[in-house]
């Protein structure tokens, strides 16, 4: 006999993946999923005809309320970055197609900050989870026709910045290894050769320490200096369905850089060193080390 907890356990991964895509924060997504479980546990199970849809609606509404809060709007200023999540263990659900991988990329999650909360919900439900407009309408309490308009508007607002033509996984991993090798050897020329001419580096060290650097020369110098400090203890793994560099010192995680790679070069570096945004990655590393 399936219990309330058993059913929710089977849905937890999907609900976390939805909440993370809507919020860009693993910590907040976990809080949302926990609150959803409490509401599920307290609800009259016999009155819920489609439990999966009911849970999706609760998560969506909680995320919409969270995104509308003054605290969140205040925090997400400047070169704000989402919280990176290691994806090699399936934390964000299936990432087998290009569309699924794009839906969790830091590049796309940054672009979603351009959208209103409702636009973001409609976009994610449609693009990442493939919901029909009729189902999305029920989840966000509007009409199917309005959902079509909201989705179209969201796609326009994201515009040309949407990530395209990512390198295959094995090719991207090889380029990440070359990137680290160049840093370890101090070969700045080789490092810069792995960057696109219009490369951008984002650094999020906290609300008062965020910046964005553009151009091969500037980014090359920044990356070379930073990587030279941590290259001996830099681990290459996968976060947000892309190659990621984990900077470790004395078993402490100091930062994560996620590389957005086109067919041959790195076009964006997203670096997070804000300790509050490293909790999920740190916890995963501790769990795998046991």
């Amino acid at each position: 006999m399936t219990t309330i907890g058993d059913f929710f356990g089977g849905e937890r991964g999907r609900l976390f993946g939805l909440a993370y895509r809507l919020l860009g924060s693993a910590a907040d997504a976990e809080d949302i999923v926990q609150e959803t479980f409490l509401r599920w546990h307290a609800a009259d199970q016999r009155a819920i005809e489609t439990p999966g849809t009911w849970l999706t609606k609760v998560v969506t509404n909680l995320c919409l309320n969270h995104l509308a809060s003054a605290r969140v709007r205040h925090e997400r200023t400047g070169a704000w970055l989402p919280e990176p999540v290691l994806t090699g263990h399936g934390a964000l659900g299936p990432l087998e197609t290009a569309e699924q991988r794009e839906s969790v990329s830091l590049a796309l999650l940054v672009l979603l900050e351009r959208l209103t909360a409702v636009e973001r919900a409609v976009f994610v439900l449609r693009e990442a989870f493939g919901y029909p407009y009729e189902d999305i309408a029920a989840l966000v309490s509007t009409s199917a026709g309005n959902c079509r308009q909201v989705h179209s508007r969201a796609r326009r607002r994201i515009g040309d910045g949407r990530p395209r033509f990512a390198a295959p996984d094995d090719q991207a991993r090889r380029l990440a290894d070359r990137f680290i090798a160049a840093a370890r050897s101090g070969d700045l020329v080789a490092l810069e050769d792995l960057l696109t001419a219009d490369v951008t580096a984002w650094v999020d060290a906290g609300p008062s320490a965020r910046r964005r650097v553009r151009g091969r020369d500037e980014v090359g110098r920044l990356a070379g200096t930073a990587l030279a400090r941590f290259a001996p203890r830099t681990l290459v793994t996968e976060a947000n369905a892309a190659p990621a560099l984990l900077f470790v010192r004395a078993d402490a995680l100091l930062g994560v850089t996620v590389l957005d790679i086109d067919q041959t070069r790195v076009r964006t570096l997203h670096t997070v060193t804000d300790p509050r945004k490293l909790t999920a990655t740190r916890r995963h590393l501790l769990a795998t080390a046991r």
Side-chain angles (χ1 to χ4, degrees), residues 72-102:
V72 170
R73 294 197 303 270
H74 175 72
E75 288 179 349
R76 301 190 176 195
T77 58
W80 178 90
L81 287 177
E83 181 179 353
V85 173
L86 300 184
T87 48
H89 60 303
L92 297 179
L95 299 174
E96 299 168 358
T97 67
E99 292 77 12
Q100 289 171 336
R101 298 179 75 80
E102 180 199 43

Side-chain angles (χ1 to χ4, degrees), residues 19 21 26 29 38-39 66 70 72 87 91 98 122 124 152 170 174 205 211 219 224 239 251 266-268 288:
R21 286 169 173 84
L38 295 176
R39 296 190 182 196
H66 183 82
V72 170
T87 48
V122 171
V124 168
S152 178
D170 55 346
R174 288 195 298 271
R211 59 174 170 157
V219 173
D251 297 324
V266 177
R267 57 190 169 195
T268 314
T288 55

Side-chain angles (χ1 to χ4, degrees), residues 151-168:
H151 180 238
S152 178
R153 184 168 65 244
R155 289 176 64 93
R156 289 196 304 271
R157 294 187 68 179
I158 289 174
D160 295 337
R162 190 168 179 178
R164 297 292 185 190
F165 309 117

Side-chain angles (χ1 to χ4, degrees), residues 8 15-16 18-19 22 32-33 36 54-64:
F8 190 88
L15 298 175
F16 175 79
L18 171 60
L22 289 176
I32 293 292
V33 171
T36 301
W54 187 92
L55 291 170
T56 301
K57 186 174 179 64
V58 172
V59 167
T60 300
N61 287 336
L62 288 173
C63 288
L64 287 174

Side-chain angles (χ1 to χ4, degrees), residues 60-227:
T60 300
N61 287 336
L62 288 173
C63 288
L64 287 174
N65 292 337
H66 183 82
L67 288 170
S69 72
R71 178 183 65 82
V72 170
R73 294 197 303 270
H74 175 72
E75 288 179 349
R76 301 190 176 195
T77 58
W80 178 90
L81 287 177
E83 181 179 353
V85 173
L86 300 184
T87 48
H89 60 303
L92 297 179
L95 299 174
E96 299 168 358
T97 67
E99 292 77 12
Q100 289 171 336
R101 298 179 75 80
E102 180 199 43
S103 75
V104 298
S105 71
L106 289 190
L108 181 61
L109 293 178
V110 167
L111 289 174
L112 293 185
E113 291 298 306
R114 299 179 181 179
L115 308 181
T116 66
V118 172
E119 287 172 344
R120 185 164 184 156
V122 171
F123 182 90
V124 168
L125 289 166
R126 179 67 178 173
E127 301 262 333
F129 292 89
Y131 277 77
Y133 289 114
E134 291 76 11
D135 292 350
I136 299 174
L139 292 170
V140 300
S141 303
T142 187
S143 67
N146 189 48
C147 280
R148 289 180 184 273
Q149 294 177 359
V150 171
H151 180 238
S152 178
R153 184 168 65 244
R155 289 176 64 93
R156 289 196 304 271
R157 294 187 68 179
I158 289 174
D160 295 337
R162 190 168 179 178
R164 297 292 185 190
F165 309 117
D169 292 349
D170 55 346
Q171 183 176 328
R173 179 61 183 253
R174 288 195 298 271
L175 194 146
D177 288 335
R178 289 171 57 198
F179 196 78
I180 286 296
R184 285 174 174 158
S185 66
D187 191 342
L188 187 59
V189 173
L191 190 68
E192 291 184 358
D193 189 53
L194 297 174
L195 306 174
T196 62
D198 59 348
V199 63
T200 302
W202 298 60
V203 180
D204 186 346
S208 61
R210 294 172 180 151
R211 59 174 170 157
R212 196 177 316 168
V213 178
R214 292 187 174 91
R216 182 179 289 160
D217 293 341
E218 291 294 324
V219 173
R221 282 193 291 271
L222 174 66
T225 300
L227 290 172

